[in-house]
Amino acid sequence: MSTYRELAHRGSARATVLRTIGTRERRSHLTAPRVPTVGIDIGGTKVAAGVVDADGNILEQLRTETPDKSKSPKVVEDTIVELVLDLSDRHDVHAVGIGAAGWVDADRSRVLFAPHLSWRDEPLRDALAARLAVPVLVDNDANSAAWAEWRFGAGRDEEDLVMITLGTGIGGAILEDGQVKRGRFGVAGEFGHMQVVPGGHRCPCGNRGCWEQYSSGNALVREARELAAADSPVAYELIKQVNGNISEITGPLITELARKGDPMCIELLQDIGQWLGIGIANLAAALDPACFVIGGGVSAADDLLIGPAREAFRRNLTGRGYRPEARILKAELGNEAGLVGAADLARLVARRFRRANRRRVERYERYAQAGRR
């Protein structure tokens, strides 16, 4: 049985290791080898893989559908391996970064839980590293996207930022002093499940009134479908566009009609934007970042969404008028942010691959010289 002293020593040692990793990560964009790495972005519907250079440019990209979530985790693992090996045929890959839509532990080795995949405490890093023979890094997809926006996108030159990804739900990530803050257990940034309306809409997480039930793609579509199902006259154009098939109402369709001036669709995006601004004001009170970067599919609505969010943010900001206001910016890298960020983070572990290769070359040269004698 471990003594208290032994457990305390282990905790202290682990904390030292994590601080060391954090320091290296802050410097990685300056000291990491400028070699190609592969980034993988895994979502509920697609797996995207790309070779990314040290400047954040995607040299080649492949996409495939995510295997059905009812299948074994190995099926998804096989898909990742096939994509990486395919890219490795044409590129000198030194490391692989995985951005997974789920909870990743603080050591960035295991996926604790992925809502759209059959991963439960899955040792993804070690399983893939054994098959690919290069170092592998695993992180949450929002963390990867935030890193990419900080390095190459809207958050350049900002040391403290918060990323909010608006898609089916709400994801998020925190960067402080150029370091991704993952929390003690690796699951920081789950902003979508802050409760903003006690007893409100039921969320798939099991709680009621979560933020993402009021400001997300799901919330946008739900409100539109409810109006259409009630045969509301304000939903006439939307009903017409789907020929009365309410189940075909989607977020992109609502955004398209809003851009064309449909009053109801504009109002729906304003509502989503106002809830977004309220949540951002709460995050500003807790974290006080320099800027908020808004990404994800719903952010494609641009100022139809972000304009109302900025207004609501100013109205609800604690100490408004007496403090600097964080900027609210749209993400610049779009759907590629997670892939680019995962690849860039993987450069931190690419050193191990280069050192191992160098040792193998040195051993070969020694053996060759010995043979010539």
Side-chain angles (χ1 to χ4, degrees), residues 220-246 249 253-254 257 262-268:
L220 179 67
V221 172
R222 182 193 67 229
E223 296 295 310
R225 288 180 178 176
E226 284 181 2
L227 283 168
D231 203 23
S232 170
V234 299
Y236 170 78
E237 186 60 31
L238 190 58
I239 296 170
K240 177 183 173 184
Q241 287 290 323
V242 296
N243 296 317
N245 297 317
I246 295 172
I249 294 174
L253 176 60
I254 297 167
L257 291 177
D262 182 78
M264 188 204 75
C265 292
I266 292 173
E267 184 177 327
L268 288 173

Side-chain angles (χ1 to χ4, degrees), residues 177-199:
D177 191 26
Q179 178 184 354
V180 177
K181 306 298 287 186
R182 297 178 176 83
R184 174 62 179 81
F185 304 107
V187 296
E190 292 295 329
F191 306 137
H193 299 290
M194 301 185 302
Q195 293 185 40
V196 296
V197 180

Side-chain angles (χ1 to χ4, degrees), residues 357-373:
N357 274 354
R358 187 165 62 246
R359 285 194 292 270
R360 281 196 290 269
V361 170
E362 289 170 354
R363 283 199 298 270
Y364 174 79
E365 289 176 347
R366 286 199 298 271
Y367 293 148
Q369 289 174 0
R372 284 195 292 270
R373 292 171 189 164

Side-chain angles (χ1 to χ4, degrees), residues 197-213:
V197 180
H201 292 295
R202 176 72 72 180
C203 180
C205 77
N207 292 328
R208 287 185 178 275
C210 292
W211 186 25
E212 69 176 38
Q213 291 303 306

